[in-house]
């Protein structure tokens, strides 16, 4: 399979993930601004998840742009990433409906951790056959620090849920801009 099909398939799955997330937003039970207040946690969790999915989509695009060869291992690694990203709508809804309760928030962080781990595996599979990817990413300190922060967020979620959520926001802020290590080498 060429990299174009890999990217197109991934784009389609990510578009579906975003669609599922937005469909989970329910209309308020009233026509006043006060009717929106109970939906604030749902909307806040949606915004953060939308940003995360956008970050993965953006960085995936830049990553695949640097690729010249795909393999069966790359296809499976990509599916592994898409699997974890497909769980984002579920944990997003759970966190929002239960107003950032400890267990849903810890599970949210676990899905974010596993998504980052899956992305790391995809990168490693791509590096094996694409020197340009390996040269662009180097040691990927940013990715490893992010994984550690997710674990910190998961642990904090059990004791101080809002601090756990703040850690997830921090990681999103770190990644909000595209990964410049790839973008600076390969303009798209």
């Amino acid at each position: 399979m060429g990299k174009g099909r890999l990217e197109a398939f991934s784009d389609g799955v990510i578009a579906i993930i975003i669609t599922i997330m937005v469909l989970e937003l329910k209309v308020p039970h009233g026509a006043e601004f006060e009717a929106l207040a109970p939906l604030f946690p749902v909307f806040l969790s949606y915004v953060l998840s939308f940003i995360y999915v956008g970050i993965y989509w953006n960085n995936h695009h830049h990553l695949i742009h640097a690729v010249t060869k795909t393999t069966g291992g790359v296809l499976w690694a990509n599916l592994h990433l898409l699997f974890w990203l497909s769980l984002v709508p579920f944990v997003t809804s759970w966190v929002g409906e239960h107003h950032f309760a400890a267990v849903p928030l810890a599970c949210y962080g676990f899905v974010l951790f596993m998504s980052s781990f899956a992305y790391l595996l995809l990168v490693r599979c791509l590096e094996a056959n694409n020197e340009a990817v390996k040269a662009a990413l180097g040691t990927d300190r940013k990715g490893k620090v992010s994984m550690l922060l997710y674990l910190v967020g998961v642990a904090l979620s059990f004791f101080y849920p809002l601090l756990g959520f703040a850690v997830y926001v921090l990681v999103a802020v770190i990644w909000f801009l595209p990964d410049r290590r790839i973008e600076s080498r390969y303009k798209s």
Side-chain angles (χ1 to χ4, degrees), residues 39-93:
L39 300 177
F40 184 72
V42 173
F43 184 71
L44 189 60
S45 63
Y46 167 76
V47 168
L48 182 61
S49 294
F50 184 91
I51 290 169
Y52 264 113
V53 173
I55 288 166
Y56 276 103
W57 174 76
N58 202 326
N59 285 316
H60 188 273
H61 165 74
H62 290 289
L63 180 66
I64 300 303
H65 188 71
V67 168
T68 56
K69 181 180 180 187
T70 59
T71 63
V74 167
L75 298 179
W76 283 109
N78 194 65
L79 281 172
H80 183 234
L81 170 62
L82 294 174
F83 169 78
W84 288 104
L85 290 178
S86 74
L87 292 175
V88 169
F90 169 74
V91 291
T92 299
S93 182

Side-chain angles (χ1 to χ4, degrees), residues 8-182:
F9 176 75
S10 300
D11 286 350
V13 171
I14 290 170
I16 291 167
I17 290 168
I18 289 172
T19 302
I20 291 168
M21 283 191 325
V22 77
L23 291 174
E24 287 294 319
L25 296 177
K26 303 300 181 209
V27 176
H29 298 296
E32 303 80 28
F33 283 115
E34 296 80 29
L36 292 172
L39 300 177
F40 184 72
V42 173
F43 184 71
L44 189 60
S45 63
Y46 167 76
V47 168
L48 182 61
S49 294
F50 184 91
I51 290 169
Y52 264 113
V53 173
I55 288 166
Y56 276 103
W57 174 76
N58 202 326
N59 285 316
H60 188 273
H61 165 74
H62 290 289
L63 180 66
I64 300 303
H65 188 71
V67 168
T68 56
K69 181 180 180 187
T70 59
T71 63
V74 167
L75 298 179
W76 283 109
N78 194 65
L79 281 172
H80 183 234
L81 170 62
L82 294 174
F83 169 78
W84 288 104
L85 290 178
S86 74
L87 292 175
V88 169
F90 169 74
V91 291
T92 299
S93 182
W94 196 19
V95 164
E97 283 188 30
H98 295 283
H99 299 238
F100 304 97
V103 172
L105 198 57
C107 289
Y108 183 85
F110 179 74
V111 168
L112 293 177
F113 170 79
M114 290 305 298
S115 296
S116 68
F117 179 72
Y119 188 83
L120 175 68
L121 287 178
L122 175 60
V123 166
R124 294 297 178 249
C125 287
L126 288 168
E127 285 177 338
N129 295 297
N130 296 276
E131 280 299 317
V133 173
K134 184 183 282 188
L137 293 179
T139 61
D140 194 23
R141 183 175 38 175
K142 185 175 167 180
K144 292 172 184 169
V145 167
S146 297
M147 290 176 69
L148 178 63
L149 286 173
Y150 287 134
L151 293 176
V152 168
V154 168
L156 282 173
S157 293
F158 287 111
F159 304 102
Y160 306 102
L162 291 180
L163 281 179
F165 185 75
V167 171
Y168 306 148
V169 170
L170 173 65
V171 177
V173 168
I174 291 169
W175 283 98
F176 190 72
L177 296 175
D179 196 333
R180 299 288 181 215
R181 295 169 295 177
I182 296 173

